Amino acid sequence: MPTQTKRVFLGFSLNQSQTKAVTAIQAQLPKNVRLVPSTNLHMTLAFLGAATPAQLTALIDKVNRLHKPKFSVTLDTISHWAKPKVLCLRGAASDNRLRQLALDSQSLASELGLHCSEHDYNPHITLSRKAKSEVTGIDYSPLTLAPSKLQLFESYPGPNGVEYPILHSWDLV
């Protein structure tokens, strides 16, 4: 019998006011894009891909021992990424604590044989999928995130689209 894997990623949930600010941006996007539902809005730290139960147990154990500092990041640019066809609100990983957490997450992924990104960490919130081009004329203010928790999310197709339940959560200190 095959091992049941889960598609997982590490990331940060948005609070209610941040979700409201992001959905206000989404409301201005073209109608031909597929908006990310407000319940799925988050900032990804590391996409890890398919993980076996043993890899998940080891991952949780390693993240338990990882230094998880509080940080701040400002997302201030709406970008179109052509290859995945997404529109996102992104910023620079200028806080060394966030950059180190992203590097540490990639190191854990490598140690555990999970997906490792070929790109430098780029903090962002995906706004929509199936976007074919850049957008202009969006009225928004930069969004600053200072999360208090790191979460391990699962990604799976549910009856109403992709769902992102939280499998584990850690306090940032």
Side-chain angles (χ1 to χ4, degrees):
M1 187 163 137
T3 304
Q4 182 64 33
T5 62
K6 293 183 177 185
R7 283 175 46 97
V8 296
F9 62 93
L10 292 168
F12 308 96
S13 295
L14 304 184
N15 66 31
Q16 194 171 10
S17 67
Q18 293 162 342
T19 299
K20 186 176 179 180
V22 173
T23 57
I25 294 169
Q26 289 178 310
Q28 301 174 67
L29 297 178
K31 301 301 176 217
N32 64 340
V33 300
R34 190 173 72 209
L35 299 180
V36 172
S38 61
T39 55
N40 285 357
L41 293 171
H42 66 278
M43 185 176 84
T44 301
L45 179 66
F47 175 74
L48 304 171
T52 66
Q55 286 171 314
L56 281 174
T57 299
L59 175 67
I60 290 168
D61 181 56
K62 288 183 178 293
V63 176
N64 283 342
R65 292 185 268 133
L66 190 67
H67 178 54
K68 297 171 289 295
K70 289 186 177 180
F71 65 88
S72 175
V73 61
T74 300
L75 308 177
D76 57 4
T77 305
I78 294 178
S79 293
H80 175 253
W81 291 345
K83 188 168 182 187
K85 292 184 181 172
V86 299
L87 288 170
C88 62
L89 180 63
R90 69 171 178 84
S94 53
D95 188 318
N96 288 333
R97 296 165 297 188
L98 174 57
R99 271 203 312 273
Q100 190 60 53
L101 193 55
L103 288 170
D104 291 346
S105 298
Q106 289 301 309
S107 292
L108 292 181
S110 179
E111 282 177 45
L112 296 170
L114 297 169
H115 173 82
C116 294
S117 178
E118 63 274 13
H119 305 288
D120 288 336
Y121 180 61
N122 198 340
H124 69 280
I125 297 169
T126 300
L127 302 170
S128 71
R129 303 190 184 286
K130 299 195 177 191
K132 292 181 172 58
S133 62
E134 289 280 352
V135 295
T136 56
I138 305 294
D139 181 31
Y140 68 99
S141 298
L143 181 65
T144 299
L145 304 181
S148 60
K149 293 188 180 300
L150 170 64
Q151 285 111 358
L152 175 63
F153 294 88
E154 181 181 4
S155 171
Y156 70 87
N160 300 313
V162 179
E163 296 187 27
Y164 297 146
I166 296 170
L167 301 177
H168 202 87
S169 187
W170 298 268
D171 289 334
L172 299 180
V173 293

Short mmCIF file of all heavy atoms in Angstrom, two decimals, residues 22-56:
data_model
loop_
_atom_site.label_atom_id
_atom_site.label_comp_id
_atom_site.label_asym_id
_atom_site.label_seq_id
_atom_site.Cartn_x
_atom_site.Cartn_y
_atom_site.Cartn_z
N VAL A 22 -6.22 43.04 1.74
CA VAL A 22 -5.89 42.26 0.54
C VAL A 22 -7.15 42.02 -0.30
O VAL A 22 -7.09 42.13 -1.53
CB VAL A 22 -5.20 40.92 0.91
CG1 VAL A 22 -5.03 40.04 -0.30
CG2 VAL A 22 -3.84 41.21 1.56
N THR A 23 -8.27 41.75 0.32
CA THR A 23 -9.49 41.54 -0.47
C THR A 23 -9.93 42.84 -1.16
O THR A 23 -10.54 42.80 -2.23
CB THR A 23 -10.65 40.94 0.37
OG1 THR A 23 -10.91 41.78 1.48
CG2 THR A 23 -10.31 39.54 0.84
N ALA A 24 -9.61 44.00 -0.57
CA ALA A 24 -9.89 45.28 -1.24
C ALA A 24 -9.05 45.43 -2.51
O ALA A 24 -9.52 45.97 -3.51
CB ALA A 24 -9.65 46.45 -0.28
N ILE A 25 -7.82 44.94 -2.47
CA ILE A 25 -6.97 44.94 -3.67
C ILE A 25 -7.57 43.98 -4.70
O ILE A 25 -7.72 44.31 -5.88
CB ILE A 25 -5.52 44.53 -3.33
CG1 ILE A 25 -4.86 45.58 -2.45
CG2 ILE A 25 -4.72 44.30 -4.61
CD1 ILE A 25 -3.52 45.15 -1.85
N GLN A 26 -7.93 42.77 -4.24
CA GLN A 26 -8.49 41.77 -5.15
C GLN A 26 -9.75 42.27 -5.86
O GLN A 26 -9.97 41.95 -7.02
CB GLN A 26 -8.83 40.48 -4.39
CG GLN A 26 -7.61 39.70 -3.94
CD GLN A 26 -8.03 38.47 -3.15
OE1 GLN A 26 -8.81 38.55 -2.22
NE2 GLN A 26 -7.50 37.33 -3.55
N ALA A 27 -10.56 43.07 -5.16
CA ALA A 27 -11.80 43.56 -5.74
C ALA A 27 -11.55 44.46 -6.96
O ALA A 27 -12.44 44.66 -7.78
CB ALA A 27 -12.60 44.33 -4.69
N GLN A 28 -10.33 44.98 -7.09
CA GLN A 28 -9.98 45.85 -8.21
C GLN A 28 -9.33 45.11 -9.38
O GLN A 28 -9.03 45.71 -10.41
CB GLN A 28 -9.03 46.94 -7.72
CG GLN A 28 -9.59 47.80 -6.62
CD GLN A 28 -8.54 48.75 -6.11
OE1 GLN A 28 -8.11 49.66 -6.82
NE2 GLN A 28 -8.10 48.54 -4.88
N LEU A 29 -9.10 43.82 -9.22
CA LEU A 29 -8.42 43.05 -10.27
C LEU A 29 -9.38 42.73 -11.40
O LEU A 29 -10.60 42.71 -11.21
CB LEU A 29 -7.82 41.77 -9.67
CG LEU A 29 -6.74 41.97 -8.61
CD1 LEU A 29 -6.28 40.62 -8.07
CD2 LEU A 29 -5.57 42.76 -9.16
N PRO A 30 -8.82 42.45 -12.59
CA PRO A 30 -9.68 42.10 -13.73
C PRO A 30 -10.55 40.88 -13.42
O PRO A 30 -10.18 40.02 -12.63
CB PRO A 30 -8.69 41.77 -14.85
CG PRO A 30 -7.39 42.35 -14.43
CD PRO A 30 -7.41 42.44 -12.93
N LYS A 31 -11.70 40.84 -14.07
CA LYS A 31 -12.66 39.76 -13.81
C LYS A 31 -12.22 38.42 -14.40
O LYS A 31 -12.76 37.39 -14.05
CB LYS A 31 -14.04 40.13 -14.37
CG LYS A 31 -14.60 41.40 -13.77
CD LYS A 31 -14.76 41.30 -12.26
CE LYS A 31 -15.22 42.61 -11.66
NZ LYS A 31 -14.65 42.91 -10.38
N ASN A 32 -11.22 38.44 -15.30
CA ASN A 32 -10.80 37.19 -15.95
C ASN A 32 -9.73 36.43 -15.18
O ASN A 32 -9.19 35.45 -15.67
CB ASN A 32 -10.30 37.47 -17.38
CG ASN A 32 -9.04 38.33 -17.39
OD1 ASN A 32 -8.74 39.02 -16.42
ND2 ASN A 32 -8.32 38.29 -18.49
N VAL A 33 -9.42 36.85 -13.96
CA VAL A 33 -8.46 36.12 -13.13
C VAL A 33 -9.22 35.36 -12.05
O VAL A 33 -10.35 35.72 -11.71
CB VAL A 33 -7.40 37.05 -12.49
CG1 VAL A 33 -6.60 37.77 -13.55
CG2 VAL A 33 -8.02 38.03 -11.52
N ARG A 34 -8.61 34.32 -11.54
CA ARG A 34 -9.23 33.52 -10.47
C ARG A 34 -8.66 33.99 -9.13
O ARG A 34 -7.49 33.75 -8.84
CB ARG A 34 -8.98 32.03 -10.69
CG ARG A 34 -9.80 31.17 -9.75
CD ARG A 34 -9.68 29.71 -10.07
NE ARG A 34 -8.35 29.26 -9.66
CZ ARG A 34 -7.69 28.27 -10.23
NH1 ARG A 34 -8.19 27.61 -11.22
NH2 ARG A 34 -6.50 27.93 -9.79
N LEU A 35 -9.49 34.66 -8.34
CA LEU A 35 -9.04 35.19 -7.06
C LEU A 35 -8.77 34.07 -6.06
O LEU A 35 -9.49 33.07 -6.02
CB LEU A 35 -10.08 36.13 -6.47
CG LEU A 35 -10.42 37.38 -7.29
CD1 LEU A 35 -11.48 38.20 -6.57
CD2 LEU A 35 -9.18 38.21 -7.56
N VAL A 36 -7.75 34.26 -5.25
CA VAL A 36 -7.50 33.35 -4.14
C VAL A 36 -8.56 33.67 -3.08
O VAL A 36 -8.73 34.84 -2.70
CB VAL A 36 -6.09 33.56 -3.56
CG1 VAL A 36 -5.89 32.76 -2.28
CG2 VAL A 36 -5.03 33.20 -4.61
N PRO A 37 -9.32 32.66 -2.61
CA PRO A 37 -10.34 32.93 -1.60
C PRO A 37 -9.73 33.56 -0.34
O PRO A 37 -8.59 33.24 0.03
CB PRO A 37 -10.91 31.55 -1.28
CG PRO A 37 -10.56 30.70 -2.45
CD PRO A 37 -9.27 31.25 -2.99
N SER A 38 -10.49 34.43 0.31
CA SER A 38 -9.96 35.13 1.48
C SER A 38 -9.51 34.16 2.58
O SER A 38 -8.55 34.45 3.31
CB SER A 38 -10.99 36.11 2.03
OG SER A 38 -12.15 35.44 2.45
N THR A 39 -10.14 33.00 2.68
CA THR A 39 -9.74 32.02 3.69
C THR A 39 -8.38 31.39 3.39
O THR A 39 -7.78 30.78 4.27
CB THR A 39 -10.79 30.89 3.81
OG1 THR A 39 -10.99 30.32 2.52
CG2 THR A 39 -12.11 31.41 4.35
N ASN A 40 -7.91 31.53 2.15
CA ASN A 40 -6.62 30.94 1.76
C ASN A 40 -5.48 31.96 1.71
O ASN A 40 -4.35 31.59 1.39
CB ASN A 40 -6.73 30.27 0.39
CG ASN A 40 -7.46 28.96 0.42
OD1 ASN A 40 -7.85 28.48 1.48
ND2 ASN A 40 -7.66 28.36 -0.73
N LEU A 41 -5.75 33.20 1.98
CA LEU A 41 -4.70 34.22 1.89
C LEU A 41 -3.66 34.00 2.98
O LEU A 41 -3.99 33.79 4.15
CB LEU A 41 -5.30 35.62 2.02
CG LEU A 41 -6.20 36.05 0.86
CD1 LEU A 41 -6.91 37.35 1.20
CD2 LEU A 41 -5.40 36.18 -0.44
N HIS A 42 -2.39 34.02 2.58
CA HIS A 42 -1.28 33.79 3.50
C HIS A 42 -0.01 34.27 2.83
O HIS A 42 0.01 34.52 1.62
CB HIS A 42 -1.15 32.29 3.82
CG HIS A 42 -0.75 31.50 2.61
ND1 HIS A 42 -1.67 31.09 1.66
CD2 HIS A 42 0.47 31.11 2.15
CE1 HIS A 42 -1.04 30.47 0.69
NE2 HIS A 42 0.26 30.46 0.95
N MET A 43 1.06 34.36 3.60
CA MET A 43 2.38 34.62 3.03
C MET A 43 3.21 33.34 3.20
O MET A 43 3.43 32.88 4.31
CB MET A 43 3.08 35.79 3.74
CG MET A 43 4.41 36.15 3.07
SD MET A 43 5.20 37.59 3.81
CE MET A 43 6.06 36.82 5.19
N THR A 44 3.62 32.78 2.09
CA THR A 44 4.40 31.54 2.12
C THR A 44 5.83 31.83 2.55
O THR A 44 6.44 32.81 2.14
CB THR A 44 4.40 30.89 0.71
OG1 THR A 44 3.06 30.63 0.32
CG2 THR A 44 5.21 29.60 0.70
N LEU A 45 6.36 30.94 3.39
CA LEU A 45 7.78 30.98 3.72
C LEU A 45 8.53 29.97 2.86
O LEU A 45 9.57 30.29 2.28
CB LEU A 45 7.99 30.65 5.21
CG LEU A 45 9.45 30.65 5.67
CD1 LEU A 45 10.06 32.05 5.59
CD2 LEU A 45 9.56 30.11 7.09
N ALA A 46 8.00 28.74 2.76
CA ALA A 46 8.67 27.70 1.97
C ALA A 46 7.66 26.66 1.52
O ALA A 46 6.98 26.06 2.35
CB ALA A 46 9.77 27.02 2.79
N PHE A 47 7.56 26.46 0.20
CA PHE A 47 6.75 25.37 -0.32
C PHE A 47 7.60 24.11 -0.23
O PHE A 47 8.74 24.09 -0.68
CB PHE A 47 6.33 25.64 -1.78
CG PHE A 47 5.60 24.48 -2.37
CD1 PHE A 47 4.30 24.21 -2.00
CD2 PHE A 47 6.22 23.63 -3.28
CE1 PHE A 47 3.61 23.12 -2.52
CE2 PHE A 47 5.54 22.55 -3.82
CZ PHE A 47 4.24 22.29 -3.45
N LEU A 48 7.07 23.06 0.37
CA LEU A 48 7.84 21.84 0.64
C LEU A 48 7.41 20.65 -0.20
O LEU A 48 8.09 19.63 -0.22
CB LEU A 48 7.75 21.50 2.13
CG LEU A 48 8.21 22.62 3.07
CD1 LEU A 48 7.89 22.28 4.51
CD2 LEU A 48 9.68 22.93 2.87
N GLY A 49 6.27 20.75 -0.87
CA GLY A 49 5.82 19.67 -1.74
C GLY A 49 5.26 18.48 -0.97
O GLY A 49 4.79 18.61 0.16
N ALA A 50 5.31 17.32 -1.62
CA ALA A 50 4.74 16.09 -1.05
C ALA A 50 5.63 15.56 0.06
O ALA A 50 6.83 15.33 -0.14
CB ALA A 50 4.56 15.05 -2.14
N ALA A 51 5.03 15.36 1.23
CA ALA A 51 5.77 14.86 2.39
C ALA A 51 5.09 13.61 2.92
O ALA A 51 3.87 13.56 3.05
CB ALA A 51 5.82 15.93 3.49
N THR A 52 5.91 12.61 3.22
CA THR A 52 5.39 11.38 3.83
C THR A 52 5.12 11.63 5.31
O THR A 52 5.61 12.62 5.88
CB THR A 52 6.42 10.24 3.70
OG1 THR A 52 7.57 10.60 4.50
CG2 THR A 52 6.83 9.98 2.26
N PRO A 53 4.37 10.74 5.96
CA PRO A 53 4.17 10.91 7.41
C PRO A 53 5.50 10.99 8.18
O PRO A 53 5.63 11.80 9.11
CB PRO A 53 3.36 9.67 7.80
CG PRO A 53 2.59 9.34 6.56
CD PRO A 53 3.54 9.65 5.42
N ALA A 54 6.49 10.20 7.79
CA ALA A 54 7.79 10.24 8.48
C ALA A 54 8.48 11.59 8.25
O ALA A 54 9.08 12.15 9.18
CB ALA A 54 8.69 9.10 7.99
N GLN A 55 8.40 12.11 7.04
CA GLN A 55 9.00 13.42 6.76
C GLN A 55 8.28 14.51 7.55
O GLN A 55 8.93 15.44 8.06
CB GLN A 55 8.95 13.74 5.27
CG GLN A 55 9.95 12.95 4.44
CD GLN A 55 9.72 13.13 2.95
OE1 GLN A 55 8.58 13.05 2.47
NE2 GLN A 55 10.79 13.37 2.21
N LEU A 56 6.96 14.43 7.65
CA LEU A 56 6.21 15.42 8.43
C LEU A 56 6.59 15.41 9.90
O LEU A 56 6.80 16.46 10.50
CB LEU A 56 4.70 15.19 8.29
CG LEU A 56 4.06 15.69 7.00
CD1 LEU A 56 2.59 15.26 6.94
CD2 LEU A 56 4.18 17.20 6.89
#
